């Protein structure tokens, strides 16, 4: 079973992401912010990371940059799921090494389609 | 020590000037009288005109100082009232946040139990539809299973409102903070404008422009542009 690290400081979003991806047959590990995610990513290499942008302690872009510095995460897909939809922010995400940018609220079926696509 | 107004000081200076001219006139009493008297009267008139102009300018400065003091008092009062309103707005935003947190908790609990039930029905419907494939009943069951999936997906999308609204509330809080800071700065600027000019002091227009730019930046930094709870776009790089 492929594992997905879902990172969001909002419990309701974590719950909705987990619900959607678990129903689609994935193992979902939750993290409450970038620091928590980085710590969990180091203990187990995930197949995909789905992270929010605006979070306390460490934001999504910093998490992406930190993960990309880890050899195990050089080619792991990292998707940013955020309320931010500005072109500037998307460019920053791309430059940081993100695989894709999803704007909240997400549609469950679209999320599953994107996850399937990036996981190959 | 009593303070005297500009007119009183002007009167004293003018009297002093007059006495000085009379004394000069007395000094030159041996000279032919007419030219000296005319010159003295001219000097006297010029002196009084100068004293009068100085007195007028001094009065204008005093009036400006009074207006400046009144303006500062008005701005101080305005800043105090706005500060209180900001605090009230923060409290109200906090209440809205608490209400949302309570509402989402209840909705999530309801969703978890309903979705569990829906998943079970969905599986059963799918199995029945598969068994009755090719028949009208099978088609109806398949459509029913799709409807359940669609409704659950709609609920998942809508239930993300807590995060979207929460971020919007956070932005409104930051905007209020920026407004409060701007008001404090206006207060400081108004106070500084009344004091003596110093080389480092910016002019009022520059400072107000800076305040407006800060407010504009605070407003533009909103992370939320969504107007509806429609699913957002997806970009793969």
């Amino acid at each position: 079973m492929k594992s997905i690290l879902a990172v969001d400081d909002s419990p309701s979003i974590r719950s909705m992401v987990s619900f959607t991806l678990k129903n689609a047959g994935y193992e979902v590990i939750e993290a409450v912010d970038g620091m928590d995610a980085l710590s969990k990513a180091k203990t187990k290499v995930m197949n995909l990371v789905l992270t929010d942008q605006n979070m306390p302690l460490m934001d999504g872009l910093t998490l992406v940059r930190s993960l990309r510095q880890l050899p195990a995460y050089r080619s792991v897909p990292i998707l940013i799921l955020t309320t931010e939809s500005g072109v500037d922010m998307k460019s920053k995400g791309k430059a940081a090494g993100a695989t894709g940018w999803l704007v909240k609220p997400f549609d469950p079926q679209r999320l599953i389609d994107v996850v399937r696509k990036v996981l190959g | 020590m009593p303070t005297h107004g500009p007119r009183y000081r002007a009167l004293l200076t003018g009297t002093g000037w007059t006495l000085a001219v009379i004394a000069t006139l007395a000094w030159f009493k041996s000279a032919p009288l007419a030219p000296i008297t005319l010159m003295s009267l001219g000097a006297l008139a010029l002196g009084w005109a100068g004293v009068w102009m100085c007195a007028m300018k001094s009065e204008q400065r005093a009036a400006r100082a009074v207006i400046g003091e009144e303006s500062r008092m008005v701005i101080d009062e305005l800043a105090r009232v706005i500060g209180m309103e900001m605090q009230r707005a923060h409290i109200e935003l906090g209440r809205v946040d608490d209400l949302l947190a309570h509402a989402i908790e209840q909705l999530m609990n309801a969703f978890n139990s309903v979705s569990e039930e829906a998943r079970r029905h969905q599986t059963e419907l799918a199995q029945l539809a598969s068994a009755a494939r090719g028949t009208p009943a099978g088609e109806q069951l398949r459509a029913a299973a799709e409807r359940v999936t669609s409704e659950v997906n709609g609920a998942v999308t809508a239930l993300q409102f807590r995060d979207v609204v929460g971020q919007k509330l956070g932005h409104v809080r930051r905007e209020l903070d920026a407004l409060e800071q701007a008001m404090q700065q206006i207060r400081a600027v108004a106070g500084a404008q009344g004091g003596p000019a110093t080389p480092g002091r910016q002019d009022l227009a520059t400072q107000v422009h800076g305040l407006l730019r800060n407010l504009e930046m605070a407003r533009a930094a909103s992370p939320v542009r969504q107007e509806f709870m429609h699913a957002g776009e997806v970009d793969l790089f």
Side-chain angles (χ1 to χ4, degrees), chain A residues 29-95:
Chain A
I29 292 118
E30 296 181 21
V32 296
D33 56 53
M35 293 289 275
D36 187 25
L38 200 56
S39 158
K40 283 174 178 163
K42 283 175 182 170
T43 52
K44 182 187 177 180
V45 179
M46 314 286 172
N47 296 103
L48 185 142
V49 178
L50 181 66
T51 178
D52 183 21
Q53 161 53 18
N54 299 312
M55 293 180 290
L57 300 179
M58 185 191 281
D59 64 31
L61 291 178
T62 312
L63 174 64
V64 175
R65 287 188 205 103
S66 305
L67 285 174
R68 287 297 183 221
Q69 283 175 359
L70 302 174
Y73 282 88
R74 291 247 164 88
S75 57
V76 169
I78 305 176
L79 298 170
I80 295 184
L81 176 63
T82 176
T83 50
E84 303 241 17
S85 56
V87 179
D88 186 44
M89 283 303 288
K90 284 182 189 174
S91 302
K92 283 182 184 171
K94 191 178 176 181

Side-chain angles (χ1 to χ4, degrees), chain B residues 8 13 18 25 28 44 47 74 87 94 127 139 143 145 179 185 207 213 215 232:
Chain B
Y8 181 79
T13 314
T18 309
L25 201 60
F28 285 106
L44 201 63
V74 168
Q87 275 184 347
Q127 284 168 350
E139 195 53 37
L179 270 174
Q185 283 170 327
Q207 294 193 47
R213 201 178 50 228
L215 281 176

Side-chain angles (χ1 to χ4, degrees), chain B residues 36-78:
Chain B
I36 290 292
T37 309
L38 280 174
M39 277 173 65
S40 301
L41 285 173
L44 201 63
L46 274 172
W48 271 104
V51 166
W52 190 249
M53 276 177 69
C54 286
M56 293 293 284
K57 279 185 181 170
S58 181
E59 250 187 8
Q60 280 175 353
R61 272 200 299 273
R64 271 203 295 270
V66 169
I67 291 167
E69 186 55 34
E70 281 175 359
S71 303
R72 272 197 297 281
M73 281 169 68
V74 168
I75 288 169
D76 274 358
E77 181 61 12
L78 205 60

